[in-house]
Amino acid sequence: MPVVAQASGGPTALGPSELQGLAAVMRLLAQVGDVDALLSNHPSEPHDNRLHIGYSEAAERLNIPEKWLRERISTLPHRKFGKFVQFAEEDLRAISDMHFVNPGMADRKEHESAVMSLQPSKRSRKRF
């Protein structure tokens, strides 16, 4: 019969190989940052730490041609560092929101614009 060692109530000293294994596990957890991703065997996507991106990546993320962005840059939110145009995450979201279309809202906008066009001017007339 095999001899089973009894567990003592106090802490046990770890050998060098156990410490190396524990250090390797800690490094993996620090790299992954998420235990679920480590356990699911799916590599986590690399996190992009860049604050700003250029035309090509912005166009790719918005799924539009880069030329479209370049032609309309004067009307779109962006950052400018000297001659360099850059986009932040907020800029991309704002550009997307600027071009939101809700077909049900078209009738209301037409009605509001018709009402606005009928309102009198706030300028007073000179009376003679």
Side-chain angles (χ1 to χ4, degrees):
M1 276 199 250
V3 177
V4 178
Q6 294 182 357
S8 64
T12 60
L14 296 175
S17 61
E18 287 90 2
L19 287 175
Q20 287 176 349
L22 182 59
V25 169
M26 295 302 287
R27 277 194 302 273
L28 283 173
L29 288 174
Q31 287 175 355
V32 173
D34 187 10
V35 176
D36 293 333
L38 181 64
L39 294 176
S40 66
N41 291 330
H42 291 102
S44 61
E45 294 184 21
H47 183 65
D48 191 1
N49 291 332
R50 291 181 298 166
L51 191 57
H52 301 103
I53 58 174
Y55 276 114
S56 60
E57 191 169 341
E60 183 180 322
R61 295 213 19 222
L62 290 168
N63 198 26
I64 58 173
E66 184 178 334
K67 183 179 178 183
W68 188 94
L69 272 179
R70 289 183 183 273
E71 290 173 349
R72 292 165 180 82
I73 193 62
S74 64
T75 62
L76 300 173
H78 62 281
R79 312 285 200 250
K80 193 130 188 202
F81 300 98
K83 66 179 183 177
F84 301 105
V85 173
Q86 298 285 306
F87 299 91
E89 185 68 31
E90 303 87 49
D91 300 331
L92 298 179
R93 291 194 189 284
I95 292 169
S96 178
D97 291 343
M98 287 171 63
H99 296 89
F100 173 75
V101 176
N102 187 353
M105 297 297 287
D107 295 334
R108 185 185 302 175
K109 285 183 182 178
E110 289 173 8
H111 176 68
E112 288 174 2
S113 64
V115 170
M116 292 294 286
S117 64
L118 296 176
Q119 292 181 352
S121 170
K122 297 191 191 263
R123 292 185 294 167
S124 62
R125 292 188 197 172
K126 292 183 181 178
R127 300 193 184 231
F128 297 103

